[in-house]
Amino acid sequence: MATVTLNRAEKTYDNGFKALHGIDLHIGDGEFTVLVGPSGCGKSTLLRMIAGLESITNGEIKIDDRVVNNVAPADRDIAMVFQNYALYPHMTNYANMAYGLKNRGYSKVEIDTRVRDAAKILQLDDYLERKPQQLSGGQRQRVAMGRAIVREPKVFLFDEPLSNLDAKLRVDMRLEIKNLQQRLGITSVYVTHDQVEAMTLADRLIVMNAGVAEQIGTPIEIYEKPASLFVASFIGSPSMNFLNGTVSDDKSHVVIGDGSKINLDHQIESGRELVVGVRPEHFTLTVDGSGALKARVRMIESLGAETLVYLEFGEKNESVTLRMQGTHQFAKGQELALATTTDLVHLFDRDSGKRL
Amino acid sequence: MYQSKWRSIANHVILILGSLFMILPVWIAFVSSTHTREFLFQNGLQFWFGGHFLENYGAILFDTAATKGRVTALEMLFNSMVLGLGFAIGKVIISMMAAYAIVYFRFRLAVPIFWVIFSTLLLPLEVRIVPSYEVVSSLGLLNTYTGLILPLIASATGTFFFRQFFRSVPDELLEAARLDGAGPLRFFIDILVPLSVTMIAAIFIIMFVVGWNQYLWPLLMTTDDQLYTIVIGIKQVYNSLYEGGQIPQFPKAFALTIMATIPPVLVVVIFQRMFVKGLVETEK
Ligand SMILES: Nc1ncnc2c1ncn2[C@@H]1O[C@H](COP(=O)(O)OP(=O)(O)OP(=O)(O)O)[C@@H](O)[C@H]1O
Ligand SMILES: [Mg+2]
């Protein structure tokens, strides 16, 4: 049981590249925290700094109340699961799981009980005497998790553990990880760039962008109140529609494109230019088309349970996406009127990209 | 079909001729070594066995007179074995450790040091043989196994191959081991060495054969017959074939030659198995 605290943690690599620009973060006891962000934003760097595999350039990292900046990885009481499993190929799965305990001087009996317990939890009982190559990808990943569990560490670290698995297995393993973490109650930090994984696993989500934590919050907070254009576009699929507009004279709505209106309940000075964000699932079709966005159907994707409609509007053919429950048919070029409600509209400053 | 059949026949003919070309001299030496010297002298080289196998090989193995010195072939085989094994094992150990330091430890001069080691690949032993001799003799190690083996033990080739291999081992393995509480030594012994079995076997085979076939260095190093290796022994025997006006001892010279080839062949055969097994098992 442990907390992890980062104070202005910075990382500059030897080649002078600044990968992290000061991260502040507090991870509570037993919390499942997910780091999400586009490739190269510094997720792995941050995780590896917590693990002690990368040094920290500035700031401090604490596990519980101990500053661990200069503590060796093995002495931080953490366990890590790697994307490519990183199992020792010449050892049996049993030996793979036992290795860390052996190095820490546990007795044979103790090691055996722990490994067998973990194997039972992970349904690996029958595979202990095999070598990692003789297992499927999912089983290997479970061995890697077993290696982490047997240590009973203070903190679990996962670096994209599921990205080498196929889609179906990924869903299964996701549930399994979540269950396991809740059952063991071990503080966890999980890196992914799959936002479904991020949304479903996280107690708390950290959206990173170019070495900065753009927003920290529960998945729902982040979905409902994205702090910036970046977060808004990154979380949610298909991603949020962004429409450039100007606040009307009476401040009651924003004028978009060729004069369509989106109603406002914020107090914003008239004439201000801003970006209006509406999620594809928050548009509805209106019948009369008054005060709504009129757009022409460009393409339809039917997914069975839902239908994605890609439309364009205005003279500049700006695109907008609509997501509807069930199946629907529209002709190409057909004009639809899209409406939304004021509380589902997100407003962002056009220059800074910050939420208004 | 027709064409490929002819091509395949042609291929086989070439292969068979090539094999004969290489095997025939060995075969002739072997079967000729089972005749008496008088018979061989009168009838020339033989293509089939004579009846004196035990007699000739027994003499050469256990009788110092047959080898023209004060050692038997058995003793020379033993010396060669010590040299070959010491040479091969020493090279594997030293070059593995050197490569480990170069690949896994961040020290300032790692790269230049590697290139210095690498450039010595260009210099054969013969270039430094005089200074090496000086050093060994002033250390009082002439006519000792240590003096015979130690100066040859550093290996640029081995270091180079191990370095390339270590660099291909995924970094995550090292990181996982660090998290598992394995220090540098543990990681080396528990992870790196087992992963390198294939490499070790390959380098061991090559180095054993090279060590076994060393001629100039043991010749310089050993003035005492007791330390002669079999390669020197062969030279000795062939040199003295026509001495003393007797009928030349060709069968025994051949027998000695044949015996000198057996241990390297055995090493290759035995370790090749391991080598292939290693290739099949650890595909990482
Ligand atoms: N050893 C290194 N030396 C220099 N720069 C590095 C090093 N490792 C990573 N970087 C850089 O730091 C940035 C962050 O890398 P990091 O591996 O943390 O990204 P990531 O968010 O995990 O991306 P991905 O989703 O692709 O794994 C990248 O721009 C990368 O090029
Ligand atoms: Mg990464």
Side-chain angles (χ1 to χ4, degrees), chain A residues 214-226:
Chain A
E214 286 258 339
Q215 189 173 5
I216 301 179
T218 65
I220 295 305
E221 272 167 22
I222 288 182
Y223 176 82
E224 288 178 345
K225 287 197 164 21

Side-chain angles (χ1 to χ4, degrees), chain A residues 28 35 112 127 151 201 208 211 222 227 252 265 271 281:
Chain A
L35 295 173
D112 195 63
Y127 305 111
R151 296 251 316 275
L201 284 173
M208 290 188 56
I222 288 182
S252 69
D265 62 358
E281 52 272 36

Side-chain angles (χ1 to χ4, degrees), chain A residues 48 51-53 73-74 78 80 82 84 86-91 96 99-100 103-104 131 133 147 151, chain B residues 106 170 172-183 186-187 190-192 194-195 281-284:
Chain A
R48 293 162 53 81
L53 297 172
I78 46 113
M80 183 155 168
F82 296 86
N84 64 1
L87 297 172
Y88 312 120
H90 59 289
M91 295 186 190
N96 261 289
Y99 188 62
N103 286 335
R104 286 179 170 76
K131 295 207 173 149
Q133 290 100 313
R147 182 167 68 179
R151 296 251 316 275
Chain B
R106 243 177 252 135
E172 284 86 355
L173 236 42
L174 170 67
E175 291 170 352
R178 281 175 70 192
L179 293 173
D180 269 344
R186 281 251 78 89
F187 174 69
D190 289 347
I191 316 282
L192 222 44
L195 284 179
E281 271 189 2
T282 46
E283 59 199 10
K284 184 83 222 171

Side-chain angles (χ1 to χ4, degrees), chain A residues 13 15 17 19 37-46 54 160 191 193:
Chain A
Y13 277 109
N15 63 2
F17 179 79
S39 190
C41 67
K43 308 180 293 288
S44 300
T45 304
L46 184 56
E54 293 290 353
E160 309 201 25
V191 164
H193 55 233

Side-chain angles (χ1 to χ4, degrees), chain B residues 237-249:
Chain B
V237 167
Y238 279 81
N239 274 346
S240 54
L241 270 179
Y242 295 100
E243 277 171 10
Q246 292 182 340
I247 296 176
Q249 242 322 350

Side-chain angles (χ1 to χ4, degrees), chain B residues 35 86 104 111 161 205 225 269:
Chain B
H35 292 272
Y104 287 98
V111 177
F161 280 118
I205 294 176
D225 292 7
V269 169

